[in-house]
Amino acid sequence: MPEVPAPNEAVDDPVETAQQVLPVLVDMPFHGALDSTLSYLGPALPPGSLVRAPLGHREVLGLVWDAPSDDLVAPGQTLRALLGTLDPLPPLPLAWRRLVRFAASYYQRSLGEMALSVLPPELRKLDPASLTRRLRRKGGLGSAPAPTDAPQTAARPEPTEDQAQALAQLAALQAREPGGTALLLGVTGSGKTEVYLRRAEEALAQGRQVLVLVPEINLTPQLEARLRDRFPGRLLVTQHSGLTPAQRLRHWLAAHLGQADLVLGTRMAVFSPLPRLGLIVVDEEHDASYKQQEGARYSARDLAVYRGRLEGVPVLLGSATPSLESWRHAQQGRYALVPMRQRVGQGALPQVRLVDMTQQPQAPRGQEPPPLAAPVLAALRERLERGEQSLLFLNRRGFAPVLHCPACQWKSDCPHCSAWRVFHKLDRTLRCHHCGFSDRVPRACPSCGNPDIQPVGRGTERLEEQIGQWLPGVRVARIDADSTRLKGTLEQQLSAVHAGEVDILVGTQMVTKGHDFRRITLVVAVNPDGALFTTDFRGPERLFATLMQAGGRAGRDAEAAARSELWIQTWNPAHALFQSLRRHDYESFAAAQLAEREMAGLPPYSHLALLRVEARTPEAAQDFLALARRDAMAWVEAQAAEVTVYPPVPPYLARVAGLERRQMLLESGSRPALQALLRDWLPGLRGLRAQTPGVARWALDVDPLGI
């Protein structure tokens, strides 16, 4: 892309002529009234330079972009001058700018919004002088890392046969296709992390940087510890939303300046500027957390693959249950499939047992049923006698999903959402998990005054309490979003589990991924059936992955693997999903799901976009989408494009935080056709909002994960 021309030195007025017209990105939403690329006067700066720019009455962070300067000024236009440049920082590299440009284009966001939103927020507050002080601060990141006598690589275990074969396949792929993508299909406990570490070791030995992505913050501590132990002489930084603004800036600077050797982070880390990038690892690549759900709704996994091809570096996707999109790419040869079918130590996968709840005796009328079926309680007692640990998986936090009045049928609904408020017994609150509205539990039914209001259903709080009652003396711990709210509590609870101070661990999905619990030999899925019959076509795929991951927490110690079990309490034991799960047969499950998707014309055999709108009234939301559909249908007819625009419908939660929600699905077998429609159609939605004043906001989700 063309450079900004150098200023002319042979001039009479050097101050005036030193100023050039520069294209500068500022953070403005796609559906704002102005373009996010604005023209300013400033010194000759290369693309990628960070600057301070005036915008209205504000001073904002800007980014010099790639564009010819002679196309930026309209006749008679007066330009404002930049207020300063962040000179201490090198420009953001071309590869980073290309990644941002692609993400903005594909996910239909403005360049400025995409580029500026992925930078550390603290950069917006800094001027050149304050940035220089930070870089020069004692112990800061403005100079090269201090030399160390520590070894660059610690002692490492010998690879298993599966690991050695996987490493050989990956090395051959890199030699054949430097920017190739590999799907590491490894059963739980097969040692995928060791493969990541060996590949990282090779990249570091070549003087390159390594980017490792994990789906959730709670998975970073243990992987960070393994990376630090393995590479004690290397600078490792993390990138996730749990960092303070100052920490995030410091770690980002280390990556951008080339000082960090390893970057470990959640989805935001895919945009880390890395001048020496040599390897990208995406752990648990199937996880929905890689998809951003606010603002620019990008998929970090898909952008990681694109970045690898863009920069010519290998990308390693790891999972025991890959997403069906990645699995199909591997079947088609677009990704190299690298299988790892044996656990470390040749340990067996847990035996899957189905408990048919329709055959279990019911509790007498007026008595509370036991938390678990009799065979499951017996299996728990057996583990307690042997001094082993058990995991109870229930993906529902709180004490009970709803409070109910048996006299008048009142339920604890949320006044702001079409959802129930969840009963939390520990702090005696009714809390909406969607809008956050919370109040005290009423002493009596607010509808009829009946004092006998009862909890219905079971959450992790209630399960924890009931297990303590049914198994007196047992040491029970609970890990969910409520019990780990305070900083450091998750690490403390995990340490207690690893140290053997816990007999039974009750947890949500937080504990089913990535954790290496050596003493757990029994996992119980308490109530998984709800996902079988969801309206979302991805429900079975998510449930299968979750149960496989949960079961994988059992028997990770080779000596205990033979007696490890996964028990599933279900009302539908004959369901095909459970039958595939009993055989640990991901491939047959994936084949059946892909066949269903192909017949229904669903992803990965089609491409989707979802237009969501929130409004003060249902009529305003419906009217906005009706006008949007009219314009989209007109485009489809004019272009004779194969795109289906479905009528607007309410989502599962039709009201959240007092706003009515509606959505409209667009579907096409051709990705280019869908992208062309979105590119031409979206700018006109600004005007439609003016015609429906009740609309609060609208957003487009390309490749949505949930419908």
Side-chain angles (χ1 to χ4, degrees):
M1 294 184 182
E3 296 283 342
V4 175
N8 186 353
E9 298 179 358
V11 294
D12 295 330
D13 187 349
V15 176
E16 277 303 313
T17 56
Q19 299 292 298
Q20 297 194 359
V21 180
L22 298 174
V24 177
L25 296 184
V26 293
D27 188 356
M28 299 183 69
F30 179 84
H31 40 279
L34 297 175
D35 194 331
S36 63
T37 307
L38 304 179
S39 301
Y40 289 92
L41 291 176
L45 294 171
S49 300
L50 290 166
V51 297
R52 306 295 303 178
L55 184 64
H57 299 292
R58 298 179 295 141
E59 179 182 334
V60 299
L61 182 68
L63 177 63
V64 179
W65 202 244
D66 308 85
S69 58
D70 54 358
D71 292 336
L72 297 173
V73 186
Q77 182 181 5
T78 302
L79 300 183
R80 304 176 72 179
L82 295 176
L83 302 175
T85 62
L86 300 186
D87 293 326
L89 288 181
L92 289 159
L94 176 61
W96 184 90
R97 303 197 303 275
R98 287 179 174 173
L99 176 67
V100 166
R101 183 185 294 278
F102 169 78
S105 172
Y106 185 78
Y107 294 104
Q108 303 296 324
R109 310 301 296 192
S110 75
L111 269 172
E113 178 190 13
M114 180 62 72
L116 277 299
S117 66
V118 299
L119 297 177
E122 197 77 357
L123 269 179
R124 301 169 187 260
K125 305 176 184 179
L126 300 181
D127 55 28
S130 58
L131 177 59
T132 301
R133 285 195 299 271
R134 289 201 181 214
L135 292 175
R136 292 178 177 173
R137 189 175 300 163
K138 184 178 180 181
L141 296 165
S143 57
T148 175
D149 295 329
Q152 298 298 297
T153 304
R156 55 184 187 170
E158 284 297 315
T160 65
E161 182 179 347
D162 260 9
Q163 290 170 342
Q165 291 178 357
L167 289 166
Q169 281 185 257
L170 293 170
L173 172 65
Q174 185 172 357
R176 183 175 67 252
E177 187 181 352
T181 300
L183 177 60
L184 185 63
L185 176 64
V187 299
T188 54
S190 60
K192 293 187 292 293
T193 304
E194 179 62 26
V195 175
Y196 303 158
L197 294 174
R198 295 242 175 185
R199 294 293 293 161
E201 180 183 322
E202 295 172 11
L204 294 173
Q206 298 169 6
R208 310 296 291 274
Q209 293 171 294
V210 176
L211 173 62
V212 181
L213 299 181
V214 291
E216 295 181 7
I217 295 175
N218 67 75
L219 294 179
T220 57
Q222 69 174 21
L223 187 52
E224 181 180 356
R226 289 196 65 175
L227 288 168
R228 292 193 188 282
D229 290 344
R230 189 63 165 265
F231 306 111
R234 301 288 188 173
L235 179 58
L236 166 66
V237 298
T238 55
Q239 283 286 342
H240 54 75
S241 59
L243 301 175
T244 65
Q247 288 173 327
R248 185 176 168 188
L249 174 62
R250 187 166 66 249
H251 295 184
W252 183 88
L253 289 171
H256 179 44
L257 296 174
Q259 297 169 350
D261 297 302
L262 300 115
V263 176
L264 170 65
T266 52
R267 58 178 176 262
M268 68 170 64
V270 75
F271 288 104
S272 296
L274 298 162
R276 299 182 287 110
L277 182 61
L279 173 68
I280 302 175
V281 174
V282 184
D283 191 27
E284 308 293 359
E285 67 86 31
H286 66 277
D287 200 285
S289 298
Y290 283 121
K291 186 73 159 67
Q292 173 75 9
Q293 296 299 327
E294 297 292 336
R297 290 164 167 78
Y298 62 86
S299 165
R301 178 199 65 207
D302 296 347
L303 288 181
V305 173
Y306 180 85
R307 185 173 186 177
R309 291 174 180 168
L310 185 67
E311 301 195 42
V313 301
V315 178
L316 183 54
L317 309 177
S319 177
T321 54
S323 65
L324 292 182
E325 286 81 0
S326 295
W327 176 251
R328 184 165 181 256
H329 287 331
Q331 298 299 301
Q332 293 175 323
R334 294 182 61 185
Y335 297 170
L337 180 61
V338 181
M340 294 174 61
R341 306 188 186 281
Q342 294 293 327
R343 284 186 146 187
V344 173
Q346 301 299 308
L349 289 166
Q351 183 178 358
V352 178
R353 295 181 180 273
L354 302 177
V355 180
D356 187 350
M357 298 302 290
T358 64
Q359 302 301 314
Q360 299 302 310
Q362 301 300 306
R365 187 178 180 84
Q367 293 187 15
E368 186 175 34
L372 302 169
V376 178
L377 285 170
L380 284 173
R381 292 190 179 97
E382 182 181 335
R383 264 62 184 187
L384 290 172
E385 292 171 359
R386 292 205 298 250
E388 298 170 353
Q389 294 175 325
S390 302
L391 167 64
L392 303 183
F393 166 58
L394 176 60
N395 205 29
R396 178 177 286 163
R397 58 191 174 99
F399 188 85
V402 64
L403 280 185
H404 166 70
C405 173
C408 71
Q409 308 306 311
W410 169 86
K411 292 182 174 61
S412 56
D413 59 325
C414 175
H416 310 295
C417 305
S418 53
W420 308 118
R421 282 177 294 160
V422 177
F423 173 39
H424 289 259
K425 187 176 181 180
L426 291 181
D427 57 5
R428 300 295 298 176
T429 61
L430 290 174
R431 195 183 311 159
C432 178
H433 290 174
H434 301 282
C435 72
F437 177 74
S438 175
D439 62 0
R440 302 294 296 173
V441 173
R443 295 181 179 273
C445 173
S447 179
C448 71
N450 175 24
D452 187 24
I453 51 177
Q454 302 170 359
V456 177
R458 182 181 291 112
T460 49
E461 275 186 32
R462 192 176 194 179
L463 182 59
E464 177 188 24
E465 179 183 283
Q466 290 176 325
I467 289 297
Q469 295 169 352
W470 280 80
L471 300 173
V474 69
R475 298 173 298 175
V476 185
R478 173 170 56 90
I479 295 182
D480 57 26
D482 296 321
S483 67
T484 59
R485 206 175 306 172
L486 299 177
K487 186 174 182 180
T489 53
L490 174 61
E491 289 78 4
Q492 293 172 4
Q493 291 175 320
L494 290 175
S495 296
V497 176
H498 291 304
E501 300 169 4
V502 173
D503 298 319
I504 298 177
L505 175 61
V506 176
T508 58
Q509 195 167 279
M510 288 178 64
V511 297
T512 64
K513 312 172 195 175
H515 298 290
D516 190 19
F517 300 123
R518 309 303 294 182
R519 292 182 169 90
I520 287 180
T521 59
L522 174 65
V523 174
V524 180
V526 177
N527 185 25
D529 283 4
L532 290 176
F533 308 106
T534 177
T535 57
D536 188 353
F537 69 91
R538 297 184 192 272
E541 178 185 358
R542 291 199 188 101
L543 177 60
F544 187 89
T546 298
L547 294 178
M548 283 279 283
Q549 294 288 335
R553 300 316 105 198
R556 298 179 76 87
D557 182 87
E559 295 181 2
R563 57 181 181 272
S564 65
E565 293 178 330
L566 167 63
W567 289 67
I568 301 174
Q569 294 191 162
T570 175
W571 298 85
N572 302 275
H575 197 283
L577 182 148
F578 294 131
Q579 299 308 312
S580 293
L581 196 67
R582 292 184 69 171
R583 303 188 300 270
H584 300 281
D585 191 353
Y586 167 80
E587 296 185 20
S588 70
F589 170 77
Q593 285 291 299
L594 285 174
E596 290 182 14
R597 300 268 187 96
E598 186 173 18
M599 285 189 295
L602 291 169
Y605 299 96
S606 66
H607 308 284
L608 305 180
L610 195 65
L611 180 63
R612 296 186 174 97
V613 62
E614 297 180 1
R616 289 187 287 272
T617 64
E619 293 77 14
Q622 196 75 17
D623 289 346
F624 178 88
L625 290 179
L627 293 172
R629 184 170 187 261
R630 177 202 64 189
D631 292 349
M633 294 289 289
W635 186 95
V636 170
E637 184 177 349
Q639 301 293 327
E642 295 183 2
V643 181
T644 302
V645 185
Y646 290 94
V649 294
Y652 174 71
L653 283 175
R655 185 163 56 98
V656 172
L659 291 175
E660 297 291 337
R661 308 163 80 210
R662 296 295 184 271
Q663 62 187 23
M664 185 173 71
L665 182 67
L666 297 90
E667 178 185 59
S668 177
S670 167
R671 196 191 301 270
L674 181 60
Q675 284 287 315
L677 166 60
L678 299 179
R679 184 177 59 250
D680 295 342
W681 173 58
L682 256 63
L685 295 182
R686 289 199 301 265
L688 297 185
R689 184 175 179 182
Q691 299 178 41
T692 50
V695 170
R697 52 183 170 262
W698 59 269
L700 182 76
D701 191 354
V702 180
D703 298 339
L705 288 188
I707 299 178

